[in-house]
Amino acid sequence: MYNSKIIGLGKYLPENVVTNDDLSKMMDTNDAWIQERTGIKERRWIKEGTEDTSAVMGAKASRMAIERSGLSKDDIDFIVFATMTPDYYFPGCGVQLQDMLDMKNVGAIDIRNQCSGFVYAISVADQFIKTGMYKNILVVGAEYHSNGLDKSTRGRGVTVIFGDGAGACILTREEDDKRGILSTHLHSEGKYADKLIVESPSIRHWVPEILEAGEEDTSYFPYMDGTFVFKHAVVRFSEVIIEGLMKNGIQKEAIDMLIPHQANLRIAQFIQKKFALRDDQVFNNIMKYGNTTAASVIIALTEAWEEGKIKEGDTIVLAAFGSGFTWGSVIIKW
Ligand code: ACO
């Protein structure tokens, strides 16, 4: 059995910045409400007419990650692509990425676990490396939300929080079992699937039905029972961080950097307070990018590393919660 470790981090954010004031011109909302409830100041939304999609942004972030890893694309043995906004109903973004990067005919899978998608993706890749089946795996999280949001006042409770973007990293074999990814912890509770959902188009509710229903049908926009999700998020985040720390005999004081999924700054602040962590022990960038779901943890990890906030030997905790419900954590000795 091997460990895996992260080398080579990359990210891509579309250029187009959408501020809270910009949103208030589309719907009945305002900067004060959005900042107070979520901490978000602005987000990136792909501008119509540009080439960007989840797969394209994922490819851009991947190129950066591969270059920074010192490996070549031909050294990559497998692709794991996390997204809830794939370019097509099928096939998934993983195979598009394989083509866009002109990679060998390596295997590629998509992970559809929404906000915890990247944590799940890392865990899947880690298992392949642990068993020795693969040595170098490209792990990607990318989301193109803006094209699928209700930009009228009706959708404001959800639309203001989501942003577009992508992040990627290379996971490689680590011989030292006390370094790299120490453990991953995954959970789900499907009975709450309808609390945060994009219901259609789906085999249950296909395009002709949507068209027939006309304006009244909003099932193809994200629906979220925000308060319900919030209450579950703070509990599950805490549980799964504790689970990871206990598994490895790590005290919370020993966390060098907690990178929570960027769902809402208030959730991150609640967790920070609960674990009595200092500001320099928690990384947040939701203010700039909003919630980029499966891309959020990897974009944040990449930025924390770029800013010199992650050093060799550090104990890093990744944690996420989202639609499903699904949640998880990753404990890393960097
Ligand atoms: N601007 C102005 N007013 C608004 C807006 C807006 N953008 N959105 C909602 N409101 C209004 C509502 O209509 C409501 O008005 P009312 O009291 O007159 O009915 C009031 O503000 C309060 O609305 P709530 O939805 O109760 O607001 P809340 O304080 O719960 O904040 C939020 C909403 C920010 C979405 C919060 O619930 C949240 O962050 N939830 C968790 C999100 C999360 O963790 N998601 C998981 C990841 S996402 C994924 O997995 C895909």
Side-chain angles (χ1 to χ4, degrees), residues 124-191:
V124 168
D126 179 49
Q127 309 315 311
F128 279 121
I129 290 178
K130 271 195 165 64
T131 59
M133 182 158 172
Y134 297 127
K135 192 170 175 203
N136 302 309
I137 301 182
L138 173 58
V139 189
V140 187
E143 301 288 8
Y144 179 7
H145 282 297
S146 57
N147 203 28
L149 297 172
D150 181 353
K151 296 185 181 107
S152 71
T153 296
R154 191 178 55 185
R156 65 183 180 175
V158 177
T159 299
V160 301
I161 69 173
F162 284 134
D164 303 334
C169 70
I170 309 294
L171 225 60
T172 194
R173 185 183 291 171
E174 165 65 59
E175 309 271 345
D176 182 349
D177 67 0
K178 297 197 172 46
R179 300 293 295 266
I181 293 177
L182 302 181
S183 65
T184 61
H185 308 270
L186 308 177
H187 296 281
S188 72
E189 194 170 28
K191 73 177 170 188

Side-chain angles (χ1 to χ4, degrees), residues 231-243 245 252-253 255 258 266-278 281-282:
K231 284 182 185 156
H232 282 255
V234 289
V235 173
R236 297 309 195 184
F237 259 110
S238 306
E239 281 176 6
V240 83
I241 292 169
I242 290 169
E243 183 184 350
L245 294 178
K252 60 183 172 54
E253 297 74 23
I255 297 175
L258 167 66
R266 306 293 158 243
I267 296 177
Q269 287 168 337
F270 180 92
I271 302 300
Q272 175 175 348
K273 201 167 163 203
K274 178 156 185 179
F275 286 86
L277 299 175
R278 300 181 308 273
Q281 289 173 292
V282 185

Side-chain angles (χ1 to χ4, degrees), residues 29 33 37-38 115 156-157 196 224 226-227 263-264 267 291 322-323:
T29 189
W33 190 97
R37 303 285 176 125
T38 71
C115 291
R156 65 183 180 175
L196 181 44
M224 175 167 71
T227 314
N264 183 325
I267 296 177
N291 178 354
S323 159

